[in-house]
């Protein structure tokens, strides 16, 4: 998912974001909280083993300035919005929200506007749908799935980007990221943040104690996991309580094994989930999920583990509950809540190649306008600038697809190198498959792909049954 996730973010529960509790429309003033983050990269060339871890006017958001910093120290000019109030909805809670509030605080300071933040919960589509039905939609929202963004555009809920926002977008983002925020030839979204979902974070001490090194392919990964298990530590932590983590596992294996063309076809439901390529990918994933001793807490324990815990239990205490966890760069936020330091006690390697090469799966959260207001356009313009990206990058744990952002803004070498790899990758990545799907299939807790893969985690031997249910749910969602 989105971003994240994602999950993205994702869907990110508890301390990292998407949670059912967040669905309450409790307004949080922007003057609160601080810190932490989420991230992105497309790490085709990732080599991380040695790393540490006031303006003008105009209803379109104001005319943007040069991307070069002027004497005022800002790269974009914003309109005066004194007395205006905006509402912004996103999935972020906990430390992610705190970091984002710092971004909104700067926007308030530079425009004079007042911004209220509303956590949407996991189901952004349902949340926004209910708000629009009641006539109370926020000015700006952050759909964590490109499929949800497209759904909103099809329904006529989105307002096109104004000239100033489009100018910043053209200046700072590659065509691939711009296209992800467009629908029907019209630009709607600004991908302020995203995530590289093709990474494995690991506890360096557990690896050293077990005498293992970073695996390069799936066979080595499984062999390494077994060696770690034999040493007395459960090798792999899985946050199965959050279904999006399981879609990430599947998508990485499928992209590496089946290749980008088949990946695109499955993402668009041009081939069915009963396809032999899906059988092959589930079989590979089943070798991990179905082997006794490889999952922290076993299958039952994994199904009860939320994403934040899946990360922190890998790096907490003298006797961690796991050695590795598959997660995007946003895991750095959770690792920061332990005593482990990114680049020292916590390192990262690319998702192992299941086919000919390691996969590059990304996710992200795009800002879109739901009201045609001066304030909404100004905020989108700001979010497309390097100024806004720099604020979160300096807070830590954040990677931006903004190609003009000064790499020195990142807080450590790990994030800096991931960011550099992302920019060098250009448009050579694949966006999270479930995030491209209709929300009813790829983005809702307790149903569709999330639920079907949770059932697979419960019974990894039932590959045929899993494919049958995935195809039934996909066909219903896609209307085919």
């Amino acid at each position: 998912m989105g971003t994240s996730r994602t999950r993205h973010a994702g869907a990110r529960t508890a301390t990292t974001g998407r949670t059912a509790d967040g669905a309450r429309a409790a307004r949080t003033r922007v003057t609160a909280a601080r810190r932490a983050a989420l991230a992105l990269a497309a790490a085709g060339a990732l080599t991380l083993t040695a790393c540490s871890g006031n303006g003008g006017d105009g209803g379109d958001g104001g005319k943007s300035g040069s991307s070069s910093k002027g004497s005022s120290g800002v790269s974009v000019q914003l309109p005066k919005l004194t007395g205006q109030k905006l509402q912004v909805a996103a999935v972020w809670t906990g430390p992610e929200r705190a970091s984002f509030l710092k971004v909104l605080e700067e926007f308030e300071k530079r425009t004079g506007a007042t911004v209220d933040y509303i956590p949407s919960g996991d189901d952004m589509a349902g949340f926004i749908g209910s708000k629009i039905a009641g006539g109370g939609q926020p000015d700006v929202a952050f759909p964590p799935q490109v499929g949800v963004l497209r759904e909103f555009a099809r329904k006529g809920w989105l307002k096109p980007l104004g000239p100033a926002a489009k100018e910043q977008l053209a200046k700072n983002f590659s065509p691939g990221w711009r296209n992800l925020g467009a629908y029907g030839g019209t630009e709607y979204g600004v991908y302020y943040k995203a995530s590289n979902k093709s990474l494995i974070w690991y506890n360096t001490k557990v690896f050293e104690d077990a005498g293992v090194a970073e695996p390069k392919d799936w066979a080595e990964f499984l062999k390494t996991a077994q060696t770690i298990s034999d040493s007395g530590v459960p090798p792999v932590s899985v946050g199965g309580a959050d279904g999006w983590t399981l879609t990430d596992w599947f998508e990485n294996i499928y992209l590496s094994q089946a290749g980008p063309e088949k990946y695109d076809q499955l993402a668009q439901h041009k081939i069915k989930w009963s396809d032999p390529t899906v059988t092959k990918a589930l079989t590979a994933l089943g070798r991990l999920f179905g082997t006794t001793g490889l999952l922290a807490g076993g299958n039952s324990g994994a199904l009860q583990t939320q994403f934040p815990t899946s990360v922190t239990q890998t790096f907490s205490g003298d006797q961690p509950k796991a050695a590795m966890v598959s997660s995007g760069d946003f895991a750095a936020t959770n690792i920061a809540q332990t005593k482990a330091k990114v680049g020292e006690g916590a390192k990262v390697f690319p998702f192992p190649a299941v086919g000919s090469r390691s996969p590059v799966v990304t996710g992200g959260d795009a800002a879109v306008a739901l009201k045609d207001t001066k304030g909404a356009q100004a905020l989108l313009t700001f979010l497309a600038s390097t100024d806004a990206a720099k604020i979160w990058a300096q807070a830590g744990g954040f990677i931006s697809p903004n190609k003009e952002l000064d790499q020195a803004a990142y807080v450590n070498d790990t994030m800096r190198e991931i960011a550099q790899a992302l920019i060098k990758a250009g448009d050579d990545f694949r966006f999270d498959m479930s995030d491209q799907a209709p929300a009813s299939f790829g983005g809702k807790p307790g149903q569709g792909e999330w639920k079907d893969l949770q059932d697979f985690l419960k019974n990894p031997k039932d590959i045929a049954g899993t494919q049958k249910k995935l195809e039934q749910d996909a066909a219903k969602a896609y209307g085919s």
Side-chain angles (χ1 to χ4, degrees):
M1 183 171 166
T3 155
S4 28
R5 37 201 203 184
T6 309
R7 301 194 208 171
H8 54 223
R12 295 170 281 266
T13 54
T15 57
T16 53
R18 299 175 187 176
T19 167
D21 293 338
R24 301 174 195 148
R27 287 163 174 73
T28 305
R29 278 306 319 273
V30 180
T31 51
R34 296 267 184 268
R35 258 210 83 152
L38 214 277
L40 173 327
L46 253 177
T47 307
L48 299 175
T49 56
C51 291
S52 319
N54 284 325
D57 50 16
D60 59 19
K63 294 183 179 180
S64 59
S66 167
S67 60
S68 300
K69 300 275 185 182
S71 58
S72 63
V74 300
S75 71
V76 61
Q77 299 299 314
L78 301 174
K80 286 296 186 182
L81 302 170
T82 305
Q84 295 191 30
K85 295 183 178 180
L86 287 81
Q87 287 186 347
V88 177
V91 299
W92 307 312
T93 64
E96 289 182 329
R97 178 183 66 181
S99 289
F100 182 56
L101 293 183
K102 294 173 70 175
V103 178
L104 296 183
E105 286 173 356
E106 177 64 17
F107 178 78
E108 286 186 321
K109 178 181 177 182
R110 288 169 59 172
T111 63
T114 299
V115 185
D116 285 338
Y117 175 79
I118 308 172
S120 67
D122 242 3
D123 187 3
M124 174 67 78
F127 177 83
I128 295 298
S130 66
K131 290 293 183 182
I132 287 179
Q137 69 267 35
D139 296 80
V140 171
F142 282 79
Q145 301 140 301
V146 68
V148 172
L149 184 153
R150 292 168 181 166
E151 180 182 324
F152 287 2
R154 281 196 300 271
K155 292 179 177 179
W157 292 354
L158 303 185
K159 308 304 177 185
L161 295 180
K166 290 172 69 175
E167 181 183 344
Q168 286 296 308
L169 201 65
K171 201 179 286 183
N172 299 326
F173 291 80
S174 71
W177 288 103
R178 292 169 59 190
N179 291 338
L180 284 171
Y183 179 77
T186 299
E187 290 183 313
Y188 294 102
V190 173
Y191 272 90
Y192 175 63
K193 64 157 59 177
S195 57
N196 170 13
K197 310 185 91 175
S198 299
L199 301 173
I200 304 289
W201 294 84
Y202 68 98
N203 186 311
T204 57
K205 186 177 186 304
V206 174
F207 265 50
E208 290 168 3
D209 290 347
V212 296
E214 297 174 1
K216 297 299 187 293
D217 59 37
W218 191 244
E220 283 186 20
F221 178 80
L222 294 174
K223 183 178 179 181
T224 298
Q226 186 61 60
T227 301
I228 293 171
S229 178
D230 293 342
S231 76
V233 179
V236 181
S237 181
V238 174
D242 296 315
W244 63 267
T245 65
L246 306 181
T247 68
D248 288 355
W249 275 103
F250 172 81
E251 289 159 7
N252 275 291
I253 290 175
Y254 190 84
L255 177 58
S256 180
Q257 197 174 60
E261 184 176 345
K262 287 290 186 182
Y263 184 95
D264 292 343
Q265 291 173 358
L266 187 60
Q268 298 169 46
H269 201 223
K270 291 183 177 179
I271 58 175
K272 296 183 177 182
W273 284 81
S274 55
D275 192 84
T277 56
V278 177
T279 308
K280 190 175 180 182
L282 288 175
T283 299
L285 184 56
R287 292 182 62 193
L288 172 64
F289 288 176
T291 301
T292 301
L294 297 190
L295 301 186
N299 297 68
S300 176
L303 281 165
Q304 298 175 58
T305 301
Q306 294 181 325
F307 168 73
T309 302
S310 73
V311 178
T312 55
Q313 72 178 7
T314 306
F315 301 99
S316 296
D318 295 330
Q319 295 182 321
K321 295 182 179 180
M324 298 179 280
V325 59
S326 176
S327 172
D329 347 331
F330 46 84
T333 295
N334 307 93
I335 295 170
Q337 297 168 0
T338 73
K339 292 182 179 180
K341 291 184 178 181
V342 171
E344 297 177 16
K347 289 188 178 182
V348 62
F349 59 84
F351 196 96
V354 189
S356 61
R357 64 178 62 183
S358 290
V360 179
V361 177
T362 68
D365 302 80
V368 296
L370 296 166
K371 291 182 180 180
D372 192 14
T373 64
K374 185 176 181 179
Q377 289 295 337
L379 182 55
L380 293 178
T381 300
F382 181 57
L383 292 169
S385 74
T386 56
D387 296 355
K390 182 179 179 181
I391 295 169
W392 203 329
Q394 291 177 329
F398 169 85
I399 303 296
S400 171
N402 188 317
K403 63 185 176 64
E404 297 301 321
L405 177 63
D406 186 349
Q407 303 294 299
Y410 293 105
V411 295
N412 59 48
D413 288 341
T414 296
M415 293 303 169
R416 191 170 296 111
E417 291 205 13
I418 293 175
Q420 289 170 348
L422 166 64
I423 301 306
K424 288 180 181 178
D427 295 331
D428 187 19
F429 63 86
R430 282 300 184 275
F431 203 82
D432 185 295
M433 186 187 297
S434 63
D435 284 359
Q436 298 183 57
S440 60
F441 179 65
K444 286 183 180 284
Q447 68 181 67
E449 190 180 358
W450 292 18
K451 175 63 163 58
D452 297 340
L453 290 179
Q454 285 175 325
D455 290 342
F456 177 67
L457 175 58
K458 187 182 302 181
N459 183 13
K461 294 182 179 180
D462 189 17
I463 294 172
T466 299
Q467 286 187 261
K468 181 178 180 180
K469 191 64 169 64
L470 283 165
E471 177 53 31
Q472 289 175 344
D473 291 339
K476 182 178 179 181
Y478 284 88
S480 58

